[in-house]
Amino acid sequence: MSNVIEVKVPDIGQSEAVDVIEVLVKAGDTIAVDDPIVTLESDKASMDVPSPYSGVVESVSVKVDDKVTEGSVILLLKTEASVEKPAKEEKAADKKETEAKVAPITAAVKETAQPTIADNLHAGPAVRRLARELDLDLKQIPATGPKGRISKEDVKAYVQSRMQGGGGGFAFPPAPQIDFAQFGPITIEPLSKIKKLSGANLHRNWVTIPHVTQFDEADITNLEIFRAEHKSEVEKQGFKLTPLVFIMKAVAATLKKMPQFNASLSADGASIVLKQYIHLGVAVDTPNGLVVPVVRDVDKKSVLELAAELASISERARNKALKTPELQGSSFSISSLGGIGGTAFTPIINAPDVAILGVSKSSYKPVYDKGSFVPRLMLPLSLSYDHRVIDGADGARFCKQLVEYIEGVPLSF
Ligand code: CAO
């Protein structure tokens, strides 16, 4: 006869709550005794919790980032095994023997905890096991999980990239371990959480996407005159009218005309997902690192609405007050360093987007016009695109169209 039983967190050797960092099963899965069901992580270690019984998962009661302690219910399991006589201890009949069967489970949990402490890498035991089986060095695998954790997907992506040419004599050599103190005094500061997360993503995007960057310039002399005229009037409403909002409108118009830039490559690389919405990720510089909140439906919003929203999201990004959905769903991204300086740069694509626009600081340049040079305020643009999806000719066409739209953007609110 089958029972539905609660599988709980066993003795994990501490009373404080620990994080659920990976849920390894889902409702409907058939699992065997000792199959890992969740990975937990404390300040010191990560550990797999094995299933004490075989059966079919009815429902999972925890999700990633939940906090659990000994006794928290992990899942409901439909099992043929008797709860009093679990699979591992078929012969256990009295309380003493039942207690004895808990010991191996706890022991298994503790045993897997050690490697994380030893090598200071964030990876659950299941991931470590997979890496060992595939003879991979975890230090070489870019992490994309929370807190810079290496997930199974990271291992798979790494193997895939090696199979697609990352190996064959061109594999990356390990970064040398250098004691910089031998050259002079040093201090060591840990990277912020945001830097670790965005660093892993940037690394993956840079290494896995064939980037090309196309440069161009737009004449924003008239736009700047309009902006200067209305600057103080807009500032009275509590936000700034910068060139960026006009650029966002021009980008939205260009994306409508060239939808292959407002797209993602499917996971198998066989098709393009064209998006009917225009949600722009806007890179915001914060004291803790780069954050990319998303401004939705840019094509449907006025310049003034965009200016207000940009002020709100950049302030909340800097105060760490953004909610996760506000960081998701971009279809194209913009990174503006125009308020700082520089003449051009090569922005890294914010995957799964296929392109990103870099904006640098405008400056007056002599522009040849009808036989003479006239001073015009020129805005440098740098478009990085995924060459698997976009051809060079289309990259140049996009910039040409964008320049036309920026130069002709309606100068009104
Ligand atoms: N050329 C000349 N001046 C520019 C300009 C440009 N392209 N873009 C902005 N400016 C001016 C603004 O008009 C403003 O001056 P005024 O107050 O006199 O009008 C000043 O520079 C500062 O602007 P800002 O940076 O505060 O505002 P913004 O709307 O241009 O940008 C935001 C907002 C959030 C994108 C920006 O503050 C930011 O964080 N940028 C950094 C993004 C980043 O780190 N990217 C790198 C990511 S790695 O690829």
Side-chain angles (χ1 to χ4, degrees), residues 227 231 240 242-243 283 285 318 335-339 360 362 379:
R227 205 179 67 82
K231 205 172 148 203
K240 280 200 290 189
T242 64
D285 177 35
R318 285 166 186 145
S335 173
S336 174
L337 296 174
S360 297
S362 60
L379 176 75

Side-chain angles (χ1 to χ4, degrees), residues 202 220 224 227 231 235 240-245 247 282-286 290 310 314 318 335-340 345-348 356 359-363 379-380:
L202 288 165
I220 59 164
E224 190 54 23
R227 205 179 67 82
K231 205 172 148 203
E235 274 169 11
K240 280 200 290 189
L241 188 63
T242 64
L244 186 54
V245 281
I247 297 166
V282 179
V284 177
D285 177 35
T286 80
L290 179 67
L310 195 59
S314 40
R318 285 166 186 145
S335 173
S336 174
L337 296 174
I340 304 170
F345 64 109
T346 53
I348 298 178
I356 180 168
V359 179
S360 297
K361 192 174 178 64
S362 60
S363 62
L379 176 75

Side-chain angles (χ1 to χ4, degrees), residues 5 13 58 68 106 143 166-167 189 213 224 275 288 337 398:
I5 54 154
E58 283 260 305
V68 292
T106 311
E189 286 178 7
T213 306
E224 190 54 23
K275 294 155 192 177
N288 294 307
L337 296 174
F398 184 94

